[in-house]
Amino acid sequence: FNIWQEGTVVEGGFEALADEIVRSNADFVTLSEVRNYRNTRFCDRIVEALKKRGETYYSFYTEDSGLLSRYPISDSTTVYPLNDDRGSIYRLVSQKDGQEFAVYAAHLDYRNCAYYDVRGYDGNTWEKEEPVTNIDSILILNKASVRDDAIANFLAEAQKDREAGRIVILGGDFNEPSHLDWTEETKGLWDHNGAIVDWDCSKLLYEAGFRDAYRVKYPNPITHPGFTFPSDNPDMPVERLTWAPEADERDRIDFIYYICLLYTSD
């Protein structure tokens, strides 16, 4: 759940966040853009807001990304600490019906967003440029971020959870697309400019056995593109909602991954 600067961008945003969590009836919630503005603890504020709505959730102090659980938290860790606003990953362990869950929240590095370079915008400054369509160049630009470093930390920690018999779930804003969406079939769509790209983070996760929940349910990226950015808000001018106003920047950059103990090589 990308909470857009803790709901501060639009009037009534924070209360809307609490209402949406209640509406979702979720067991676990992963959050992006936790800021702890004005020396407040967002985790405490949202738990209290949910309590006033008759819902009990547990949380702990985090920065940038965050977690909520309906069930008591037995362990919490910082997997990838926030540094220079280049992303974070946190983890909780909780139990439901005798089964332990390790749930991770990620908000990955927003810099070096190479999927913008493909579309003719610099992935750091978002100034217009010539589209970058050479695959090696795209991946070099993408690897200049620290998104893959964060995922490597996650995989190392998640392996311990797998060995302990826990169900592992990762949810968050990756600021990077999926290799399942930039394919031969989609290379002429959404300003992909002919590029078929094995994006780093999704490949690392798939090679480790994790699966993309949305693509498992909806495997066809043409009929179900599942765009998560940009979003629409009638209360905001369009320049507040887009980074590349003259390109088709629609993409899926927010994900829920889970581990399949039994999975095929596809």
Side-chain angles (χ1 to χ4, degrees), residues 36 67 84 148 201 220 241:
N36 301 307
L67 288 156
D84 192 28
D148 55 336
C201 291
N220 189 328
L241 303 171

Side-chain angles (χ1 to χ4, degrees), residues 119 172-174 176-178 180-182 186 189-190 192 212-231 248-256:
R119 293 178 163 110
D173 176 359
F174 279 40
E176 182 177 308
S178 169
L180 301 177
D181 298 346
W182 285 61
T186 64
L189 302 174
W190 310 307
H192 289 194
D212 174 340
Y214 186 82
R215 273 289 159 258
V216 169
K217 186 167 184 176
Y218 302 111
N220 189 328
I222 296 177
T223 60
H224 291 80
F227 299 130
T228 60
F229 185 83
S231 60
D248 186 344
E249 63 184 321
R250 290 176 294 172
D251 223 321
R252 195 169 63 100
I253 59 172
D254 304 86
F255 304 94
I256 297 173

